[in-house]
Amino acid sequence: MVVIGLPLRYQKSDDDRSILYISERIRRTFQKAGAYTLPIAPVQDVDYMKTRGNEFLELTDKEKDIIDFSLSLVDGIVFPGGIKITPYDRYLLERCIELKIPVLGICLGMQLLSCYKEEIEIDKNETELNHNQESDFGFCHKVKISKNSKLYEILNKEEIEVNSFHQYHGTHNSYYKISAVSEDGLIEAVELEGDVFNIGVQWHPEISYDFDENSRKIINAFMNAAISKKNQKVVEKECV
């Protein structure tokens, strides 16, 4: 069975205790798609909710070793939505790229990809277009997809409707290319050029997986890439 790693996110409980969580919708969607989902916990002893982005310490070699071990167990990584990008997330992404592990970034996960190896730049949405719908059902705006993109190859469409649950958006850098934008010009999808599946989308295909063909196509394409990675690991192990 394919193993998909899901980095845990940070939150506070009602009685102000620090907790780690994963969206049940994320977990169940990838189970439905045929994966065993493996939670991957952060490695730094910090209060993630109170620590500002520029106040995190660099990862130690021991902390990196823990992350590397976690990555040895997975065939793909999904970076889910959340509220903060940390050195843990950035190192995970860097190692995924180096190890050619398939990556799917969702919402904040896409924003992580959009600032790879550069300063984190996430701006507040200042537009009349609705980017933060209330209901999990349906869609709230359209996105335009570049024909010269992996995303277009997956969907075979230049425009689709998407859901949206974000108040901030990522900015572009020189490592990932923009593959889709919203009607008001905000980045809606990015991808890393090359043979490995490494795509981020600002919307939530896991939320619309059950009723939207486009969402299923994206997740199934990622799953197929993870299956290929698993098969490659099996061959490499047999050759040792």
Side-chain angles (χ1 to χ4, degrees), residues 11 14 60 99 102 105 133 155 161 225:
Q11 194 53 269
D14 291 339
T60 66
L99 297 170
Q133 67 189 68
L155 300 176
E161 289 186 299

Side-chain angles (χ1 to χ4, degrees), residues 21-233:
Y21 75 95
I22 188 69
S23 162
E24 178 67 357
R25 188 68 64 85
I26 285 270
R27 186 188 70 82
R28 282 294 295 132
T29 293
F30 284 93
Q31 281 186 335
K32 291 177 183 178
Y36 174 80
T37 54
L38 180 69
I40 301 179
V43 294
Q44 290 180 299
D45 187 18
V46 297
D47 187 326
Y48 287 90
M49 298 301 294
K50 293 182 180 178
T51 305
R52 295 179 179 273
N54 60 358
E55 295 175 346
F56 283 97
L57 298 175
E58 293 297 320
L59 294 170
T60 66
D61 289 341
K62 183 177 181 179
E63 290 166 344
K64 290 180 179 180
D65 287 343
I66 295 172
I67 295 174
D68 288 346
F69 178 76
S70 297
L71 287 175
S72 72
L73 304 175
V74 306
D75 307 303
I77 288 283
V78 175
F79 288 98
I83 59 173
K84 189 173 295 185
I85 294 173
T86 71
Y88 156 72
D89 296 300
R90 302 194 80 170
Y91 182 74
L92 263 176
L93 176 59
E94 180 180 347
R95 292 296 287 146
C96 283
I97 292 173
E98 292 173 352
L99 297 170
K100 297 184 177 181
I101 296 173
V103 166
L104 176 61
I106 295 174
C107 200
L108 183 77
M110 188 221 73
Q111 295 170 13
L112 166 69
L113 273 54
S114 75
C115 62
Y116 177 63
K117 284 190 175 295
E118 296 187 2
E119 292 295 323
I120 298 174
E121 292 186 13
I122 299 175
D123 299 333
K124 189 172 179 61
N125 300 339
E126 294 183 352
T127 171
E128 294 181 359
L129 192 67
N130 181 16
H131 285 281
N132 193 17
Q133 67 189 68
E134 296 182 359
S135 171
D136 283 356
F137 298 98
F139 310 109
C140 65
H141 67 74
K142 298 177 181 178
V143 300
K144 299 178 180 179
I145 300 170
S146 169
K147 293 192 71 172
N148 182 28
S149 68
K150 295 177 186 177
L151 188 60
Y152 178 83
E153 292 177 6
I154 293 169
L155 300 176
N156 196 30
K157 294 178 181 178
E158 292 186 65
E159 185 176 271
I160 63 171
E161 289 186 299
V162 300
N163 57 34
S164 192
F165 300 91
H166 66 105
Q167 298 181 19
Y168 294 83
H169 61 274
T171 59
H172 182 47
N173 70 28
S174 57
Y175 288 89
Y176 280 77
K177 78 172 187 178
I178 299 172
S179 51
V181 296
S182 57
E183 297 164 271
D184 53 356
L186 301 188
I187 299 173
E188 288 286 333
V190 298
E191 58 186 54
L192 193 65
E193 295 190 271
D195 297 331
V196 181
F197 188 108
N198 196 309
I199 295 175
V201 295
Q202 184 64 68
W203 63 94
H204 288 259
E206 82 283 6
I207 290 179
S208 48
Y209 178 83
D210 288 337
F211 60 85
D212 177 52
E213 180 185 13
N214 295 322
S215 298
R216 288 192 295 274
K217 284 183 176 180
I218 292 170
I219 288 176
N220 290 340
F222 167 73
M223 287 293 297
N224 288 336
I227 291 170
S228 296
K229 180 64 175 179
K230 181 180 181 65
N231 292 338
Q232 177 189 345
K233 288 163 65 176

